[in-house]
Amino acid sequence: MQVEALQRAYELLHFHVQNAPLGVIEWDEQFRVRRWSGQAGEIFGWREDEVLGRHPAEWPLVHPDDMHQVGESMQALLAGGHERNVSRNRNLHRDGSTLYCEWYNSILRDGDGRALSVFSLVQDVTRRVVDEQALQSAAMVFEHTRDGIMITDADSRIVAVNPAFSQITGYPAEQALGMTPAMLHSGRQGEAFYEQMWATLASVGAWSGEVWNRRRNGEVFPQRLTIDSVRDADGKVSHYVGVFTDITELKDGQERLEHLALYDPLTGLPNRMLFASRLQQAFDAAPRDGHHVAVLNIDLDHFKAIND
């Protein structure tokens, strides 16, 4: 009867091992596989009959760069320093791809303290690690980019700004949070401008263009702004992300180039190119307005001497 009970207990244990949501692996004292659950096979791509009696270095199971760390951890477990440990390391799938796994290891000893078995629960956390790395990268970009970034909720209340936002606008984060982007409006764009912007956001999900905004000190400045809508799982807008660049220097440079192209550098008077452009505009407008255009040419004697 006792044998039957033990057999039943073993069958129940085997059933739970094979159907556990985490991978379950039993190792002997030499770290050869004694038991390998179905979920372990799902994680690593190996069947139980392919790994029984084998050491993980023979497959391989552990990423080469993490082999030393894992070996030290397991040897410390066998030596009796700890009865259990938890680790996250890189492993290899049968197809050669890298996995990130969390391991929960515990050791079973006999009455004399000798190691009988090591049990490992293993969970594939690759997706979590990839997501964490993506979030860390995004946080680095958010903090260190030279472009201003402003995130609002669906009601256009500011929920986050980056340091470049504060540097460009003069508003520290604590003053901007909870406000709306209207705090930056310069008044140079009318209601029609913003109505068109929101209509584009609603229909396309994004908007890009130049706007004039006002810094905290009252200075009006031009910026190149891009706004993107962020939607939740139900497709509803949950946030807006605005990224902008201060283009004051670019605008100043364009104005200087235009002035050099259209005005005499010595006198500051309009040059021949600007005269021709304005004259052509007058010619084009005259028929529409029912007007005539007259051109008067004045000749100055000895003007070359004055010019020299």
Side-chain angles (χ1 to χ4, degrees):
M1 191 69 177
Q2 185 176 6
V3 174
E4 292 178 358
L6 289 173
Q7 180 64 30
R8 177 59 178 164
Y10 176 81
E11 290 174 355
L12 285 173
L13 174 62
H14 183 75
F15 174 81
H16 288 298
V17 166
Q18 292 302 321
N19 293 279
L22 301 181
V24 181
I25 307 172
E26 180 187 357
W27 316 86
D28 66 15
E29 68 280 3
Q30 299 298 320
F31 281 103
R32 293 185 295 264
V33 177
R34 278 183 177 160
R35 185 175 288 110
W36 180 267
S37 74
Q39 185 60 28
E42 289 290 329
I43 294 173
F44 298 112
W46 296 91
R47 299 191 311 272
E48 185 177 35
D49 61 293
E50 295 176 309
V51 299
L52 287 178
R54 299 178 67 185
H55 190 278
E58 300 175 30
W59 311 348
L61 178 67
V62 181
H63 192 284
D65 293 343
D66 288 3
M67 185 69 75
H68 181 70
Q69 169 193 339
V70 172
E72 284 188 342
S73 174
M74 300 309 282
Q75 288 302 322
L77 192 66
L78 285 175
H82 303 280
E83 293 304 306
R84 62 185 60 85
N85 62 30
V86 180
S87 64
R88 176 188 289 185
N89 54 265
R90 288 170 291 179
N91 292 97
L92 295 176
H93 190 272
R94 183 174 186 167
D95 62 12
S97 60
T98 299
L99 305 173
Y100 288 88
C101 295
E102 286 184 350
W103 292 79
Y104 307 86
N105 305 302
S106 58
I107 192 165
L108 177 66
R109 301 181 186 276
D110 62 15
D112 297 325
R114 291 190 297 261
L116 297 176
S117 296
V118 174
F119 288 90
S120 297
L121 299 179
V122 58
Q123 182 179 16
D124 182 0
V125 294
T126 304
R127 174 51 56 189
R128 187 199 309 169
V129 171
V130 170
D131 290 344
E132 289 173 355
Q133 292 173 344
L135 287 173
Q136 290 172 358
S137 298
M140 289 288 290
V141 172
F142 185 82
E143 289 295 321
H144 298 289
T145 183
R146 297 177 64 181
D147 292 334
I149 302 176
M150 173 175 54
I151 302 175
T152 75
D153 60 18
D155 296 322
S156 296
R157 294 289 174 182
I158 299 173
V159 297
V161 296
N162 72 336
F165 170 94
S166 299
Q167 182 178 1
I168 294 172
T169 67
Y171 286 95
E174 56 269 21
Q175 290 189 5
L177 297 181
M179 303 295 289
T180 71
M183 64 186 288
L184 302 174
H185 287 181
S186 66
R188 288 201 180 186
Q189 292 92 19
E191 288 297 322
F193 175 87
Y194 292 105
E195 288 175 1
Q196 180 61 42
M197 183 187 76
W198 283 107
T200 302
L201 272 171
S203 61
V204 180
W207 180 89
S208 182
E210 291 184 7
V211 299
W212 288 84
N213 274 337
R214 190 181 301 276
R215 305 187 207 272
R216 186 186 180 195
N217 62 8
E219 177 188 356
V220 175
F221 70 103
Q223 63 179 216
R224 181 72 183 178
L225 173 64
T226 298
I227 306 175
D228 288 288
S229 304
V230 179
R231 299 183 180 275
D232 59 21
D234 297 326
K236 297 180 180 179
V237 173
S238 61
H239 295 84
Y240 295 101
V241 179
V243 180
F244 62 88
T245 304
D246 184 348
I247 57 173
T248 302
E249 293 185 2
L250 178 61
K251 285 288 188 182
D252 290 344
Q254 289 176 345
E255 291 177 0
R256 285 195 296 269
L257 288 175
E258 290 175 1
H259 192 274
L260 288 173
L262 300 176
Y263 293 85
D264 180 74
L266 177 63
T267 64
L269 297 174
N271 62 15
R272 182 178 301 178
M273 183 180 296
L274 181 56
F275 170 75
S277 173
R278 297 292 170 81
L279 185 61
Q280 186 62 52
Q281 291 177 15
F283 283 145
D284 294 339
R288 295 195 305 268
D289 301 333
H291 295 162
H292 298 284
V293 177
V295 178
L296 178 64
N297 180 30
I298 302 176
D299 184 26
L300 300 179
D301 293 336
H302 310 296
F303 183 73
K304 183 179 182 302
I306 298 173
N307 197 44
D308 290 343

